[in-house]
Amino acid sequence: MNDTHEQREKIFADRKRTNILRNGEQRFIHFLLKQMPEFVSPNILTGIGLLGSITVSVSFILAISSNKYFLLLGILGLFINWFGDSLDGRLAYYRQIPRKWYGFALDIIMDWASIVLIGLGYYYYAEAPAKVLAFFFVVFYGWSMIISLLRYKITDVYRIDSGIFGPTELRIIIAFILLLELLLHGSILYSAILITITLLVVNILDTMELLRFGNERDGKDKTND
């Protein structure tokens, strides 16, 4: 195992990733970390990530009030959000200045703020009957965050992915939805329905798995008593 691989393992050691893009994504993040100027701090990157979510929200508003091509700004905003959100904690580990619990708490809060901002943007963009999907999207994503936190509490393993899908894959899917809406106006309604139903199904399955973990943990605790 070379030094680069060992260093990459340490950078991502605080969480278990199972998403399909993890290998390429982690190599790319490691490359970006090595290029990061010294004046850029983890907190600055966190702010950049939030700015990306604001950009997505604004793109919806501009697209419906001005020009539909502002949806392309939303795709850029998703990349900005990925950049800040994916590199902030990793930069702290790369520079060996991690604040595990501070970073953990800040990451959860910023993730929640980001998904609310994106949901609000869609709410403004969507027509009246479809606005409710923004509510369900935010609620179901929040449900998935709660599952991740409870899984961490029960298993001592922090995992933000659901099988082969994680936040990065979700951003790519949303970017594709925005592009499709630009090419085929009105398609976002059906895309939103599909992604909302998918989140619901995934959350139900993850909840069942979580309860199984909890039952197993109870059995182990009784054995140790």
Side-chain angles (χ1 to χ4, degrees), residues 10 39 64 148 193:
K10 291 178 181 178
F39 70 87
I64 196 64
S148 293
I193 291 173

Side-chain angles (χ1 to χ4, degrees), residues 13 21-23 27 48 53 65 83-84 87 90-91 122 129 137 173 179 183 191 216 219-220:
L21 296 176
R22 67 184 180 280
N23 291 328
R27 285 194 294 268
I48 290 173
S53 297
S65 62
F83 180 85
L87 270 69
R90 301 315 99 199
L91 182 64
Y122 173 76
F137 176 71
I173 291 172
L179 183 59
L183 299 174
S191 299
E216 292 174 354
K220 291 180 181 177

Side-chain angles (χ1 to χ4, degrees), residues 73-200:
L73 182 63
I75 297 176
L76 175 62
L78 288 167
F79 175 77
I80 294 172
N81 174 258
W82 172 86
F83 180 85
D85 185 49
S86 298
L87 270 69
D88 54 0
R90 301 315 99 199
L91 182 64
Y93 278 90
Y94 178 74
R95 292 180 177 173
Q96 299 182 3
I97 54 169
R99 289 184 287 175
K100 179 179 178 181
W101 297 114
Y102 168 88
F104 177 75
L106 184 62
D107 189 52
I108 295 296
I109 293 169
M110 289 299 101
D111 283 350
W112 176 243
S114 290
I115 208 64
V116 168
L117 284 167
I118 295 173
L120 283 174
Y122 173 76
Y123 179 86
Y124 188 88
Y125 180 86
E127 296 181 1
K131 289 181 182 294
V132 68
L133 292 172
F135 169 78
F136 284 122
F137 176 71
V138 172
V139 169
F140 291 162
Y141 194 87
W143 182 2
S144 70
M145 292 175 64
I146 292 172
I147 290 172
S148 293
L149 295 175
L150 291 173
R151 185 192 296 120
Y152 188 22
K153 173 66 176 179
I154 294 171
T155 67
D156 295 324
V157 175
Y158 185 45
R159 177 163 61 88
I160 60 176
D161 305 319
S162 179
I164 62 174
F165 290 99
T168 299
E169 286 75 16
L170 181 60
R171 291 186 186 98
I172 292 173
I173 291 172
I174 295 175
F176 177 76
I177 289 173
L178 294 179
L179 183 59
L180 185 62
E181 172 67 7
L182 184 61
L183 299 174
L184 186 61
H185 181 71
S187 63
I188 196 168
L189 169 62
Y190 305 101
S191 299
I193 291 173
L194 180 60
I195 196 171
T196 302
I197 292 175
T198 301
L199 278 173
L200 174 61

